């Protein structure tokens, strides 16, 4: 019953904030007129862009391929349309602020202030820090199980979940790499790679939670459990990439899988009285709090720090604590198996 109430609470919160932020800035007539004028002239007010060169009489946005900027230049710099949208958005938000109106989203994104061409600099910085913490946690775990803990007579670690945690680390670091890339330059390709890598990581995290909570050691049983989860996550990723890039659906799927694994870990830790269960409980509590912040999705403070950036920031200490639990669990599992071997 408590779990059902928790899920209903998250659904209600999500619906409320979805209604609050329903207004789309790209539908604003003033913004549309500004972008339309910029596409024709290459200027927003007194600011003109070198990417928008109409001296040839052709519009590089809608013109033939040989007049469009090459891919490497689009990545290194912002193209004409992106610059038009960005500066029109900033100009419109300045006007709205003078009228005492709250910021709204443009093309599903909050109005961020760029720094050296980086779209969301704070989220990028926190993504890189999360990547570093994940790498540190993985290396410390690798050193522990391969150099500090005893091996079995088969010359393998006693801890039977070592391989699973190695794959977990690789998928996690991959997701943070694409998070940093996507927040640096948000285009359709980077957004798809970000969503896909996060979905794969969370799906695999759920699989690890199930295998560890139910102490599944047999390879055949692991494959049977993994098959439906892999099928579901693969279908979800294919849907996002080849049918519809649905941000709302992706958030719901990822939060549902995250909550499910939190419940598994918390119940398992309490039932088994794991010596490091308090670390799991702290990570679960922090994860639920960060998920609520993620759902809240408030506009960026001073144009830099939004709910997503704050969620990234909260992930840093939680990740450090998580890998501390993984190391403790490897020591705990190794100790139990050595006693049984004797």
């Amino acid at each position: 019953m408590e779990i059902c109430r928790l899920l209903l609470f998250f659904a209600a919160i999500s619906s409320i904030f979805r209604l609050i932020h329903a207004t789309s800035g790209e539908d604003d007539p003033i913004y549309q007129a500004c972008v339309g004028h910029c596409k024709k002239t290459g200027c927003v007010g007194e600011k003109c862009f070198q990417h928008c060169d109409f001296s040839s009489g052709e519009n590089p946005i809608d013109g033939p391929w040989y007049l469009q900027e090459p891919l490497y230049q689009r990545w290194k710099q912002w193209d004409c349309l992106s610059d038009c949208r960005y500066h029109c958005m900033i100009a419109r938000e300045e006007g709205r602020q003078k009228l005492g109106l709250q910021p709204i989203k443009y093309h599903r994104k909050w109005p961020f202030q760029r720094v050296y061409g980086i779209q969301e600099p704070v989220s990028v910085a926190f993504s890189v820090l999360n990547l570093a913490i994940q790498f540190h946690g993985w290396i410390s775990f690798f050193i522990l199980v391969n150099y500090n803990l005893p091996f079995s007579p088969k010359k393998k670690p006693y801890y039977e979940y070592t391989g699973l945690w190695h794959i977990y680390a690789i998928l996690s670091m991959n997701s943070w790499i694409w998070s940093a890339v996507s927040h640096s330059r948000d285009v359709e390709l980077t957004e798809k790679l970000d969503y896909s890598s996060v979905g794969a990581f969370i799906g695999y995290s759920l699989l690890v939670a199930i295998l560890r909570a139910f102490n599944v050691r047999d390879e055949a049983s692991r494959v049977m459990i993994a098959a439906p989860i892999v099928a579901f996550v693969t279908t979800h990723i294919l849907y996002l990439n080849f049918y519809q890039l649905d941000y709302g659906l992706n958030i719901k799927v990822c939060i549902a899988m995250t909550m499910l694994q939190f419940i598994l870990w918390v119940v398992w830790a309490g039932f088994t009285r794991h010596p490091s269960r308090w670390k799991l409980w702290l990570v679960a509590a922090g994860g639920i709090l960060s998920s609520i912040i993620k759902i809240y999705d408030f506009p960026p403070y001073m144009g830099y720090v939004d709910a997503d950036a704050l969620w990234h920031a909260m992930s840093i200490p939680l990740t450090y604590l998580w890998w501390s639990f993984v190391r403790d669990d490897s020591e705990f599992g190794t100790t139990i198996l050595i006693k049984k071997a004797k």
Side-chain angles (χ1 to χ4, degrees), residues 147-211:
Y147 295 99
N148 296 337
L149 295 179
F151 276 20
S152 68
K154 297 181 180 179
K155 302 300 180 181
K156 295 181 179 180
Y158 275 103
Y159 188 60
E160 296 174 324
Y161 303 93
T162 301
L164 294 176
W165 288 118
H166 288 328
I167 298 173
Y168 173 94
I170 293 170
L171 290 176
S172 176
M173 288 186 291
N174 176 68
S175 70
W176 285 117
I177 288 172
W178 289 116
S179 173
V181 171
S182 178
H183 286 96
S184 297
R185 182 70 189 274
D186 184 17
V187 296
E188 184 178 357
L189 175 61
T190 59
E191 196 171 26
K192 286 181 177 180
L193 288 168
D194 183 24
Y195 288 2
S196 300
S197 60
V198 170
F201 168 62
I202 295 178
Y204 183 79
S205 300
L206 175 60
L207 173 61
V208 173
I210 294 172
L211 296 181

Side-chain angles (χ1 to χ4, degrees), residues 102-319:
Q102 294 295 319
I104 56 176
K105 289 185 175 182
Y106 296 79
H107 306 282
R108 300 185 298 109
K109 300 295 179 182
W110 288 114
F112 287 94
Q113 294 285 345
R114 295 180 189 169
V115 176
Y116 297 108
I118 298 176
Q119 187 171 344
E120 300 176 38
V122 176
S123 290
V124 171
F126 286 144
S127 295
V128 172
L129 285 174
N130 272 288
L131 174 61
I133 293 296
Q134 286 285 355
F135 182 74
H136 173 270
W138 178 39
I139 291 300
S140 61
F141 171 73
F142 180 86
I143 293 173
L144 176 66
V145 296
N146 287 284
Y147 295 99
N148 296 337
L149 295 179
F151 276 20
S152 68
K154 297 181 180 179
K155 302 300 180 181
K156 295 181 179 180
Y158 275 103
Y159 188 60
E160 296 174 324
Y161 303 93
T162 301
L164 294 176
W165 288 118
H166 288 328
I167 298 173
Y168 173 94
I170 293 170
L171 290 176
S172 176
M173 288 186 291
N174 176 68
S175 70
W176 285 117
I177 288 172
W178 289 116
S179 173
V181 171
S182 178
H183 286 96
S184 297
R185 182 70 189 274
D186 184 17
V187 296
E188 184 178 357
L189 175 61
T190 59
E191 196 171 26
K192 286 181 177 180
L193 288 168
D194 183 24
Y195 288 2
S196 300
S197 60
V198 170
F201 168 62
I202 295 178
Y204 183 79
S205 300
L206 175 60
L207 173 61
V208 173
I210 294 172
L211 296 181
R212 184 66 187 97
F214 293 98
N215 200 27
V216 181
R217 300 179 181 180
D218 180 66
E219 290 298 326
S221 300
R222 288 184 175 185
V223 171
M224 291 177 64
I225 294 172
I229 297 177
V230 171
F232 172 77
V233 172
T234 303
T235 302
H236 176 63
I237 291 173
L238 290 173
Y239 177 88
L240 294 176
N241 282 271
F242 299 106
Y243 184 73
Q244 182 181 2
L245 191 60
D246 191 332
Y247 175 78
L249 174 65
N250 187 59
I251 286 292
K252 291 175 184 176
V253 170
C254 290
I255 287 182
M257 291 193 294
T258 301
M259 292 301 119
L260 181 56
Q261 62 182 285
F262 280 157
I263 292 170
L264 282 172
W265 283 118
V266 168
V267 172
W268 170 77
F271 182 77
T272 60
R273 301 192 63 81
H274 194 283
S276 296
R277 58 187 177 277
W278 65 272
K279 295 182 181 180
L280 264 181
W281 292 341
L282 279 179
V283 171
I288 292 172
L289 178 60
S290 64
S291 296
I292 294 174
I293 292 173
K294 178 83 170 176
I295 293 172
Y296 178 45
D297 194 24
F298 56 82
Y301 177 72
M302 300 294 290
Y304 296 104
V305 182
D306 69 331
D308 197 43
L310 191 56
W311 173 72
H312 284 30
M314 293 182 66
S315 298
I316 296 172
L318 294 178
T319 298

Side-chain angles (χ1 to χ4, degrees), residues 23-35:
T23 306
S24 297
E26 66 267 23
D27 297 328
D28 188 301
I30 299 177
Y31 170 79
Q32 290 179 344
C34 176
V35 174

